[in-house]
Amino acid sequence: MNWQEVQNKARQKINPEVCRVCPVCNGVVCRGKLPGMGGVGTGASFVKNYQALAEYKLNLHTLHDVTEPRMSVEIFGKRLAVPVILGAVAGVKTNRLDNCITEEDLAESWLLGAKMGETLAMTGDGPDPSLYAVAIEASKKNPGIAIPIIKPRPQEEILTRIKEAEEAGAVAVGIDIDAAALIHNVSGLTCEPKTIDKIIELVESTHLPFVLKGIMTVEDAETAYQAGVKAIVVSNHGGRALDHCPGTAEVLPDIAQAVGDKMTVLVDGAIRTGIDVLKCLALGAHGVLVGRPPTIAAIGGGAEGIKAMLDYFKADLRKAMILTGTKDVQKVSKSILYNF
Ligand SMILES: Cc1cc2nc3c(=O)[nH]c(=O)nc-3n(C[C@H](O)[C@H](O)[C@H](O)COP(=O)(O)O)c2cc1C
């Protein structure tokens, strides 16, 4: 099965009210469909993620000797075949995907698909404590792959979950700080923004590299660095946290310039092709995350579906590297961008 066939399968399964598996997954049709797969409110942040990336154009450059571009990269001490990590996704029931996949199948496909594609997988968390538990169980079956991302809960609850991540053989662990305003009345989950002291407490509680997901300003990136955070994800939660955010590709260059030589800078938001990956690397990221594509892939074809999606990204990235004269994903020149 190739990526196209996997998407066709998923289209037959997913409730079209939730996601149409559009040929271009850009947040337009699913505007405001949250719970679901869309962006929050007007959907502007998701749409902007897509548009911001699309705005950057590439210089087609072919008079060179690059025939076998190097696509592998080391992140958190692990060698990845491509700098594409599965983003944190959880909550099939709350997101109205439970007619086509179970939480267990999603988590298991996530971890196994990442392993088959020789990459890493972030996993999610949510108001229902079973979501994090399911991801931890899947991580135990595939140690050395998972990066559990915990909601910005009260400190004690995070500390307990960090220990669970360590015991499950996680590669790194972190929190999605952009979920700071999440309150869930039924479960009693109350998330909170974190001061630098609270981040330091979390960082110092574990031997694992600590990740802050949901950074959109240079100021927060520098605070994260000062707190000892090892990696940030430039992210607006796929446009699902705050309406009317800039696109991640707009804020990435300044953030990468400020902290990119001191810590790992990852980015997500409407990254759909190998070309998008290459653009993000040219803008200063060390690697990218994808959220909706692997969700659709898991529904359409389980772990094999995710592998097919990753194979597509890899083939597209290889082509884009050859056609821009890029030898190595770790040394992508800004000059490949026409308008930067
Ligand atoms: C259905 C769904 C569930 C998600 N659940 C989580 C989660 O539990 N934790 C988290 O940090 N991010 C979560 N995200 C956000 C993703 O990790 C990621 O930031 C976003 O999807 C990236 O944008 P993209 O989907 O356009 O690639 C979720 C996204 C979707 C679509």
Side-chain angles (χ1 to χ4, degrees):
M1 248 193 320
N2 64 30
W3 176 218
Q4 189 63 54
E5 290 159 351
V6 172
Q7 289 174 89
N8 292 342
K9 281 245 163 158
R11 198 174 293 113
Q12 290 159 17
K13 292 186 178 179
I14 304 181
N15 175 357
E17 279 300 306
V18 176
C19 171
R20 300 254 174 102
V21 191
C22 299
V24 178
C25 175
N26 58 9
V28 172
V29 171
C30 59
R31 272 179 189 274
K33 290 198 174 153
L34 184 68
M37 291 280 268
V40 70
T42 65
S45 300
F46 180 3
V47 173
K48 195 67 190 166
N49 281 344
Y50 185 86
Q51 288 172 343
L53 254 182
E55 276 303 307
Y56 292 106
K57 306 297 175 199
L58 293 167
N59 288 317
L60 173 63
H61 163 51
T62 45
L63 299 181
H64 54 70
D65 63 356
V66 180
T67 51
E68 298 287 341
R70 183 187 160 101
M71 286 181 278
S72 79
V73 67
E74 193 171 303
I75 294 181
F76 304 127
K78 293 274 174 179
R79 177 119 323 255
L80 280 55
V82 269
V84 180
I85 296 173
L86 307 188
V89 168
V92 299
K93 192 162 182 206
T94 37
N95 288 301
R96 303 172 63 205
L97 297 168
D98 52 335
N99 71 314
C100 48
I101 194 162
T102 64
E103 200 69 38
E104 286 78 5
D105 283 349
L106 181 74
E108 286 184 14
S109 302
W110 217 250
L111 273 294
L112 188 56
K115 189 176 181 177
M116 288 162 66
E118 294 170 63
T119 186
L120 301 173
M122 294 195 177
T123 58
D125 181 22
D128 177 348
S130 75
L131 301 185
Y132 189 74
V134 164
I136 288 291
E137 282 312 308
S139 308
K140 282 182 190 161
K141 290 185 197 158
N142 295 286
I145 304 286
I147 306 168
I149 299 295
I150 303 161
K151 290 275 168 252
R153 302 162 168 277
Q155 293 290 95
E156 286 309 313
E157 293 182 24
I158 300 178
L159 291 168
T160 309
R161 284 165 175 78
I162 289 176
K163 289 289 154 248
E164 290 170 7
E166 289 175 353
E167 285 158 21
V171 171
V173 67
I175 61 173
D176 52 333
I177 192 64
D178 52 6
L182 180 68
I183 295 175
H184 194 257
N185 291 334
V186 179
S187 66
L189 171 68
T190 306
C191 293
E192 59 181 21
K194 300 286 182 191
T195 59
I196 184 166
D197 288 342
K198 285 189 173 179
I199 298 294
I200 291 171
E201 185 187 16
L202 300 176
V203 168
E204 289 184 349
S205 77
T206 179
H207 63 272
L208 294 175
F210 195 83
V211 182
L212 261 188
K213 176 171 178 284
I215 298 296
M216 287 292 285
T217 63
V218 169
E219 188 190 348
D220 279 2
E222 280 172 343
T223 305
Y225 174 68
Q226 283 160 22
V229 167
K230 284 286 179 301
I232 54 168
V233 185
V234 176
S235 173
N236 56 26
H237 217 100
R240 294 161 70 84
L242 175 67
D243 206 356
H244 296 291
C245 284
T248 51
E250 288 177 287
V251 298
L252 172 61
D254 285 349
I255 294 176
Q257 194 174 7
V259 299
D261 55 349
K262 303 187 281 204
M263 64 199 304
T264 302
V265 176
L266 305 172
V267 62
D268 73 15
I271 293 162
R272 302 291 177 254
T273 62
I275 286 181
D276 291 343
V277 177
L278 190 62
K279 286 179 180 178
C280 290
L281 300 179
L283 294 171
H286 300 110
V288 311
L289 315 181
V290 283
R292 291 174 181 90
T295 307
I296 289 165
I299 292 168
E304 299 281 349
I306 291 180
K307 169 76 166 58
M309 182 216 76
L310 287 166
D311 285 347
Y312 163 76
F313 270 83
K314 191 173 178 185
D316 197 53
L317 176 62
R318 178 182 172 276
K319 193 161 103 184
M321 289 179 75
I322 291 175
L323 293 179
T324 54
T326 305
K327 268 200 175 84
D328 185 340
V329 282
Q330 293 170 107
K331 291 183 206 125
V332 180
S333 168
K334 287 183 174 47
S335 68
I336 67 165
L337 296 173
Y338 169 73
N339 52 345
F340 183 64

